[in-house]
Amino acid sequence: MHESSKGSLVFVGTGLQLAGQISVLSRSYIENADRVFSIVPDAFAEEWLISLNPNHTSLQSYYAQADEVKNRRHTYKQMVEAMLVAVRKGEQVVCALYGHPGVFACVSHLAIAQARTEGFDSYMEPGISAEACLWADLGIDPGQCGHQSFEATQFLLYQHRPDPSTHLLLWQIALAGDHTLTQFSTTSDRLQVLVDLLSQWYPLDHEVVIYEAANLPLQQPRIERLALKALPQARLTVISTLLIPPSQALKLNEIVLAKLGISALELG
């Protein structure tokens, strides 16, 4: 739009629910941008973005189409390049991502790094994430006993050790075990491998929760409680998150208590 000006790139988060969870600042960026790109979950969200700024381009088309096998790394590179083309023209570019633009959203981190390498201003505004919605919808304060958070496939492939006295979140559970970045679902066999791994720390009858945040104001979040052993047969979608509540009580560190001069009785 302004060939003589220097382009910039800003990532904003729309939150999980249409329009209601976006910050005033992020909305202002969208309204005043020369060009808006987006990755949002449905047509309603896209139409709302267009109402704020008609110079809008969805990045969804870069994902693999029906019967196409495409590595998502290639998809992300294409998305980054599409945005950088506009930035190089001197445009003030905003990309709106649902949820938090920096959480499980590698496109934003890749694009910001590339833009800065090329000398352009680029930064990120925070948004309401699925994790923020999870704590609110389930009525859990993670500060009470702490929590750990892992991407499900990474948890499977690396030697992570969960603390069963805290909450454990496994993200993208519907993709558990896929290392190819070409699939959008897992199998019951892969989920059984995950259950077998988790059984080192959690009883098979331990209650877990499949959680999906609501995307629209009239929707309700999905909160499905089931035994850990039933996970391989559960219905999962690409937005499913697995919450595993603590299976053990917190244990006092007697050595540290002694160093601090605190008795266990003082802690109730």
Side-chain angles (χ1 to χ4, degrees):
M1 182 174 179
H2 304 294
E3 295 293 338
S4 62
S5 66
K6 188 174 182 180
S8 65
L9 177 60
V10 179
F11 280 85
V12 301
T14 64
L16 273 292
Q17 291 194 19
L18 176 66
Q21 292 182 340
I22 189 170
S23 71
V24 173
L25 181 58
S26 292
R27 176 169 176 154
S28 176
Y29 276 122
I30 293 171
E31 292 172 332
N32 292 286
D34 292 327
R35 184 182 299 270
V36 176
F37 292 88
S38 75
I39 304 175
V40 290
D42 52 58
F44 296 107
E46 285 191 8
E47 290 173 4
W48 177 72
L49 288 172
I50 292 170
S51 74
L52 298 181
N53 190 325
N55 198 2
H56 168 268
T57 301
S58 172
L59 294 172
Q60 292 284 5
S61 61
Y62 289 102
Y63 283 110
Q65 304 304 305
D67 301 322
E68 180 185 9
V69 177
K70 184 178 182 182
N71 190 295
R72 288 194 288 282
R73 290 191 183 93
H74 181 51
T75 295
Y76 302 148
K77 288 180 181 179
Q78 289 179 314
M79 292 177 174
V80 169
E81 182 59 21
M83 289 182 279
L84 264 294
V85 166
V87 173
R88 294 178 192 125
K89 291 179 179 178
E91 295 182 347
Q92 310 305 303
V93 177
V94 170
C95 183
L97 305 182
Y98 70 95
H100 189 300
V103 177
F104 289 97
C106 67
V107 170
S108 56
H109 295 286
L110 292 171
I112 288 173
Q114 183 61 37
R116 289 177 176 173
T117 296
E118 296 185 22
F120 298 106
D121 290 336
S122 185
Y123 47 94
M124 179 188 299
E125 291 295 328
I128 293 178
S129 67
E131 181 176 323
C133 295
L134 180 148
W135 301 129
D137 288 335
L138 294 177
I140 296 172
D141 179 356
Q144 289 186 338
C145 61
H147 83 282
Q148 293 177 285
S149 182
F150 303 98
E151 196 276 334
T153 296
Q154 185 194 82
F155 182 81
L156 273 170
L157 301 183
Y158 294 86
Q159 296 185 30
H160 291 298
R161 295 188 63 84
D163 180 351
S165 66
T166 71
H167 295 281
L168 174 64
L169 293 177
L170 293 181
W171 299 94
Q172 298 182 330
I173 190 69
L175 306 181
D178 172 42
H179 68 288
T180 68
L181 294 181
T182 61
Q183 301 176 22
F184 288 90
S185 63
T186 188
T187 65
S188 58
D189 289 341
R190 289 174 180 169
L191 289 171
Q192 186 59 54
V193 172
L194 176 61
V195 169
D196 293 342
L197 177 63
L198 289 168
S199 67
Q200 298 178 65
W201 304 282
Y202 303 94
L204 288 175
D205 59 357
H206 185 62
E207 184 179 85
V208 301
V209 179
I210 297 173
Y211 173 79
E212 297 176 6
N215 284 330
L216 297 171
L218 296 180
Q219 287 181 341
Q220 293 296 316
R222 178 186 175 193
I223 302 173
E224 181 177 343
R225 303 179 188 276
L226 65 160
L228 175 61
K229 62 185 175 184
L231 182 62
Q233 288 73 48
R235 178 182 66 83
L236 301 174
T237 74
V238 292
I239 64 170
S240 297
T241 298
L242 184 68
L243 168 70
I244 305 179
S247 63
Q248 300 177 12
L250 292 170
K251 297 179 181 178
L252 292 172
N253 189 323
E254 300 290 350
I255 295 175
V256 173
L257 287 177
K259 291 180 178 180
L260 294 173
I262 300 174
S263 71
L265 293 176
E266 292 180 64
L267 300 177

